[in-house]
Amino acid sequence: MRVTFVGHATVLIEGSKNILIDPFFNGNPAAAMKIEDLPKIDYIVVTHGHGDHIGDTIEIAKKHGSTVISNFEIGLYLEKKGIDKVHTMHIGGRFDFGDMKIKLTPALHGSSIIEDGEIIYGGNPAGVVIEMDHRTVYHAGDTGLTKDMELLANDYIDLAMVPIGGNYTMDIEDAFVATKMIQPQMVIPIHYNTWPLIKADPEKFCQKVSEIGIRCRVLKPGESVEL
Ligand code: NI
Ligand code: MN
């Protein structure tokens, strides 16, 4: 499995299936790839309704015929936008898609969708655990620190991707505590430095995490790890 950090919270996972998490390309100052550079996307996972996470889901899903996986409320919104393959789930629910399994996990955050100045209810925000090709990957979505993260240790996470930018999500201190609870084989910081409000030093985070014996990689946008 190859995991590519596209930038901000956007992650591309290539394996038996190609999965794109929170596809934010247009308007993303951190995006290292263009929509045209993407391989065929089988699934798109949307963790919550905010613009930097729903991003270009509609365009990409239509172009690739991707199945979009999200909570029920975002799923309804996307169906109204003409996406025919939507698979809705809810927090705590796991589903076996055949080549991979997905579980939505709790996130402490918001999830509204803003359209033409109106706020549309986007259900509860989530993180996601993906099992594919004998590897387990966790993308925290946007979240504050929550003790529920302790439960993720039971999922034997090979790779965790956690926000460190602060203000809207965990900062370095809290992401460090989260990582201690999750006990992943490896952690990658996300959701930082896209805008001044979420400025953070990813090397500082990795330094702290390395001191407790967990591997940490700072990926520049466009860089990948093989699992
Ligand atoms: Ni958000
Ligand atoms: Mn965000």
Side-chain angles (χ1 to χ4, degrees):
M1 175 196 292
R2 183 163 66 196
V3 178
T4 303
F5 177 53
V6 176
H8 191 54
T10 307
V11 172
L12 169 65
I13 301 175
E14 293 168 278
S16 296
K17 292 286 185 251
N18 293 334
I19 305 166
L20 193 56
I21 306 173
D22 289 350
F24 177 38
F25 291 84
N26 290 308
N28 180 356
M33 293 171 78
K34 293 195 176 77
I35 290 172
E36 300 77 60
D37 303 331
L38 288 169
K40 162 100 175 130
I41 299 299
D42 302 298
Y43 295 97
I44 299 171
V45 179
V46 179
T47 62
H48 64 289
H50 293 161
D52 56 324
H53 297 261
I54 277 199
D56 302 290
T57 295
I58 294 167
E59 179 183 338
I60 298 166
K62 285 183 178 171
K63 184 176 166 196
H64 290 250
S66 326
T67 298
V68 182
I69 299 164
S70 69
N71 72 24
F72 183 72
E73 291 79 6
I74 293 171
L76 283 184
Y77 168 81
L78 293 171
E79 276 176 350
K80 278 194 195 163
K81 295 291 171 189
I83 297 181
D84 19 277
K85 291 198 274 176
V86 169
H87 182 108
T88 64
M89 302 179 66
H90 255 310
I91 289 171
R94 189 181 344 240
F95 187 77
D96 189 342
F97 289 82
D99 289 307
M100 55 125 189
K101 283 185 200 170
I102 283 202
K103 179 171 76 171
L104 295 186
T105 63
L108 292 180
H109 197 66
S111 183
S112 54
I113 302 160
I114 312 290
E115 193 170 73
D116 304 326
E118 298 290 319
I119 297 171
I120 300 168
Y121 178 62
N124 288 313
V128 61
V129 174
I130 300 172
E131 291 171 67
M132 182 170 73
D133 302 343
H134 308 291
R135 295 286 182 273
T136 304
V137 171
Y138 167 61
H139 184 295
D142 281 2
T143 185
L145 179 61
T146 160
K147 204 159 187 295
D148 287 340
M149 288 168 174
E150 252 173 30
L151 294 171
L152 288 160
N154 298 303
D155 286 304
Y156 302 101
I157 306 292
D158 291 291
L159 173 65
M161 289 165 277
V162 298
I164 64 159
N167 194 73
Y168 300 112
T169 69
M170 298 188 286
D171 59 9
I172 288 173
E173 302 298 323
D174 283 356
F176 170 69
V177 177
T179 304
K180 269 204 287 195
M181 288 195 278
I182 299 162
Q183 296 173 39
Q185 293 299 310
M186 190 196 296
V187 63
I188 291 172
I190 61 172
H191 212 275
Y192 62 91
N193 289 354
T194 315
W195 302 285
L197 211 49
I198 56 170
K199 191 169 160 29
D201 179 0
E203 299 293 349
K204 194 175 147 202
F205 170 71
C206 275
Q207 176 65 33
K208 279 176 77 73
V209 166
S210 303
E211 282 166 13
I212 57 163
I214 294 173
R215 286 173 64 207
C216 186
R217 279 281 307 273
V218 175
L219 293 185
K220 289 198 190 79
E223 287 185 339
S224 308
V225 286
E226 299 281 343
L227 295 181

